[in-house]
Amino acid sequence: NMDEIRQKIRRYILKNCLFTEDEAALSNDDSFLEKGIVDSTGMLELIAFMGDRFHISIEDAELIPANMDSVNRVASFIHRKQSGGH
């Protein structure tokens, strides 16, 4: 379910990257890179979280902004992976 995936990603980013529970601190379309929300270490941690939580494997070639640069992009990427898409 896309809404569930999106909510889990939001909670993770708010707690682990922005250190807040304030939902208003993050829009689902906010660019992690442009807004400095996730640094390189944070991205590695997010990737590990995605693999563990959603039981997906992520290839190096998939680590691009189109897949990883906002809550909506990450949620869509996870949904595609879980559906067998790339």
Side-chain angles (χ1 to χ4, degrees):
N1 177 312
M2 278 294 287
D3 289 334
E4 288 177 17
I5 294 171
R6 192 175 293 111
Q7 203 47 40
K8 288 174 180 145
I9 296 298
R10 279 184 63 75
R11 278 197 297 266
Y12 176 86
I13 296 294
L14 286 167
K15 179 181 177 193
N16 296 285
C17 301
L18 295 174
F19 310 106
T20 183
E21 292 182 15
D22 179 7
E23 290 283 333
L26 179 66
S27 161
N28 286 342
D29 287 318
D30 281 350
S31 166
F32 296 158
L33 299 172
E34 289 175 19
K35 297 199 176 247
I37 294 168
V38 180
D39 61 15
S40 55
T41 302
M43 187 56 68
L44 293 174
E45 292 168 354
L46 174 61
I47 292 161
F49 168 78
M50 290 165 54
D52 291 345
R53 180 65 190 82
F54 298 100
H55 311 290
I56 58 173
S57 61
I58 302 163
E59 306 297 322
D60 287 348
E62 295 172 321
L63 301 177
I64 57 174
N67 291 336
M68 301 289 163
D69 196 32
S70 71
V71 171
N72 282 335
R73 288 179 176 191
V74 170
S76 293
F77 172 71
I78 291 169
H79 183 66
R80 285 194 310 275
K81 293 291 281 188
Q82 288 181 330
S83 302
H86 297 288

